[in-house]
């Protein structure tokens, strides 16, 4: 058990890059944090932490060891959850990697149901892009994550919804009055490209239909993209899920071609009871939401 506490300390130090902040987070003294790290370094025989004026960071060896420690901590968490499950008490922690549209549109309602039905389960949310969520899954920092494709073989991927990709145009655009837009027509407009690491749904769609957009800007933030369109600086393509409260001079118009992204949930194959309960609530919520093109129909 003492080793597990040390592993938790190293994990906290790696996340906040500070002994002081890690001590505050874990409710320990700074000297206890320092002693635990020194004890681990002595036990393993090599440095785990690099100290500098900018703060503390894991050494390369420290990063390797933390990956192994996270697996031990996850196994301990799973063990405790299974014991609680046997005694009829559902508790534990589920850590979820989210894209922004999911955290805004889905999670408040889902968390409310989770808290009502399983008050013993703690939910931790971490927001990023597809690439970051994949990395968190690989490193064990999250138990499940929302992605737009299957990633690595060690994870199962459950497609959940089809989210239409819409053309976002301002009243100054020649496309503004159309009911449907042909993808080819976007080549004649200045284009604002959604930019993020990982598989880019818009770029993938353009490549599929051999479209060569006239890219003027590349932005990560959807609200920034919409603002650019609002000020007549170009057109863009965004998922329907992120489009609420558009400015009065901006329209979201569907394409003649079938254009959509798939959003699914990626998990390890050996999921914890807490993660399993989250998945049950998620799919129950999706099935009951008539505005969503749900794919899995309550099975996984």
């Amino acid at each position: 058990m003492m080793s597990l506490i040390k592993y938790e300390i190293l994990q906290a130090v790696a996340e906040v890059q500070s002994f002081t902040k890690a001590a505050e987070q874990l409710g320990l003294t700074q000297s206890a944090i320092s002693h635990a790290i020194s004890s681990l370094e002595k036990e393993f025989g090599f440095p785990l932490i690099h100290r500098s004026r900018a703060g503390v960071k894991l050494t390369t060896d420290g990063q390797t060891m933390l990956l192994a420690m996270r697996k031990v901590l996850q196994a301990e968490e799973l063990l405790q959850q299974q014991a609680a499950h046997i005694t009829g008490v559902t508790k534990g922690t589920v850590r979820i990697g989210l894209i922004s549209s999911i955290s805004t549109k889905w999670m408040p309602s889902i968390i409310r149901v989770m808290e009502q039905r399983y008050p013993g389960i703690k939910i931790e949310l971490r927001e990023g892009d597809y690439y970051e969520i994949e990395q968190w899954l690989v490193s064990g920092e999250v138990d499940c994550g929302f992605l737009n494709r299957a990633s690595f073989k060690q994870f199962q991927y459950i497609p959940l919804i089809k989210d239409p990709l819409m053309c976002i145009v301002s009243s100054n655009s020649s496309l503004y009055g159309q009911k449907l837009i042909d993808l080819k027509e976007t080549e004649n407009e200045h284009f604002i490209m959604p930019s993020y690491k990982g598989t880019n749904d818009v770029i993938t769609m353009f490549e599929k239909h051999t479209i060569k957009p006239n890219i003027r800007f590349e932005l990560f933030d959807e609200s920034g993209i919409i603002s650019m369109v609002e000020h007549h600086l170009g057109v863009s393509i965004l998922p329907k899920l992120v489009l609420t409260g558009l400015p009065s001079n901006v329209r979201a118009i569907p394409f003649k071609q079938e254009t959509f992204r798939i959003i699914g949930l990626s998990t390890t194959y050996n999921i914890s009871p807490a993660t399993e309960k989250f998945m049950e609530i998620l799919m129950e919520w999706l099935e009951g939401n008539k505005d969503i093109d749900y794919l899995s129909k309550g099975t996984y």
Side-chain angles (χ1 to χ4, degrees):
M1 185 63 70
M2 186 59 194
S3 291
L4 291 179
I5 294 171
K6 291 178 185 177
Y7 296 170
E8 289 174 354
I9 288 172
L10 183 67
Q11 179 173 255
V13 169
E15 288 175 355
V16 299
Q17 298 184 358
S18 163
F19 281 14
T20 303
K21 291 179 182 177
E24 292 173 357
Q25 180 176 303
L26 297 173
L28 300 171
T29 63
Q30 187 172 335
S31 61
I33 298 292
S34 181
H35 178 75
I37 298 297
S38 297
S39 175
L40 281 174
E41 290 178 329
K42 184 177 180 180
E43 181 182 337
F44 294 138
F46 49 80
L48 299 171
I49 295 289
H50 174 71
R51 299 163 179 83
S52 70
R53 289 183 179 179
V56 294
K57 288 187 177 182
L58 293 186
T59 62
T60 302
D61 291 331
Q63 291 171 352
T64 301
M65 294 305 294
L66 180 59
L67 286 173
M69 290 177 192
R70 281 190 175 130
K71 291 179 181 178
V72 174
L73 291 171
Q74 288 169 7
E76 170 66 13
E77 170 72 14
L78 180 61
L79 184 67
Q80 295 298 328
Q81 289 188 30
Q82 292 288 8
H85 188 64
I86 290 170
T87 60
V89 180
T90 304
K91 62 181 181 179
T93 300
V94 55
R95 301 162 303 161
I96 308 163
L98 301 166
I99 53 177
S100 60
S101 53
I102 299 295
S103 62
T104 304
K105 302 296 175 60
W106 294 9
M107 292 312 298
S109 298
I110 292 170
I111 288 173
R112 190 165 59 247
V113 176
M114 283 287 293
E115 288 180 340
Q116 290 171 352
R117 202 172 301 179
Y118 304 112
I121 294 178
K122 179 184 177 184
I123 298 173
E124 295 181 0
L125 305 179
R126 192 165 183 179
E127 193 175 288
D129 60 25
Y130 298 127
Y131 175 81
E132 290 171 319
I133 293 169
E134 283 185 337
Q135 298 309 304
W136 296 336
L137 282 163
V138 171
S139 65
E141 294 174 67
V142 298
D143 301 301
C144 57
F146 291 91
L147 296 173
N148 61 347
R149 67 180 182 96
S151 49
F152 304 101
K153 289 184 178 179
Q154 68 262 43
F155 303 111
Q156 62 174 332
Y157 180 74
I158 305 159
L160 296 174
I161 71 162
K162 272 186 179 182
D163 188 19
L165 297 175
M166 312 285 284
C167 193
I168 312 304
V169 303
S170 77
S171 54
N172 271 21
S173 170
S174 60
L175 305 176
Y176 187 76
Q178 298 183 195
K179 291 183 178 180
L180 292 172
I181 293 174
D182 192 297
L183 272 169
K184 194 72 176 174
E185 294 179 278
T186 61
E187 291 183 330
N188 303 322
E189 305 274 335
H190 287 301
F191 193 80
I192 301 160
M193 177 65 74
S195 174
Y196 49 84
K197 291 180 290 183
T199 303
N200 188 310
D201 302 291
V202 176
I203 293 175
T204 300
M205 181 182 65
F206 278 154
E207 290 175 347
K208 177 183 176 182
H209 294 278
T210 62
I211 304 298
K212 296 180 179 178
N214 177 18
I215 299 174
R216 187 175 187 183
F217 303 114
E218 296 187 29
L219 294 175
F220 171 79
D221 183 61
E222 289 108 354
S223 61
I225 292 172
I226 292 170
S227 181
M228 290 286 184
V229 174
E230 179 188 9
H231 289 85
H232 316 300
L233 297 175
V235 305
S236 189
I237 296 175
L238 289 173
K240 185 178 180 180
L241 193 59
V242 308
L243 302 176
T244 54
L246 288 176
S248 59
N249 68 330
V250 174
R251 288 187 64 207
I253 305 173
F255 288 101
K256 292 178 181 178
Q257 297 87 345
E258 188 178 28
T259 56
F260 59 87
R261 66 172 176 173
I262 296 291
I263 294 179
L265 188 72
S266 199
T267 73
T268 58
Y269 284 94
N270 186 25
I271 61 174
S272 68
T275 304
E276 186 174 3
K277 295 303 182 187
F278 166 72
M279 292 169 68
E280 287 177 6
I281 297 296
L282 167 66
M283 294 181 187
E284 179 184 304
W285 183 83
L286 287 172
E287 195 164 9
N289 195 318
K290 304 305 180 185
D291 296 327
I292 293 176
D293 187 2
Y294 179 44
L295 298 174
S296 293
K297 304 304 178 190
T299 60
Y300 64 92

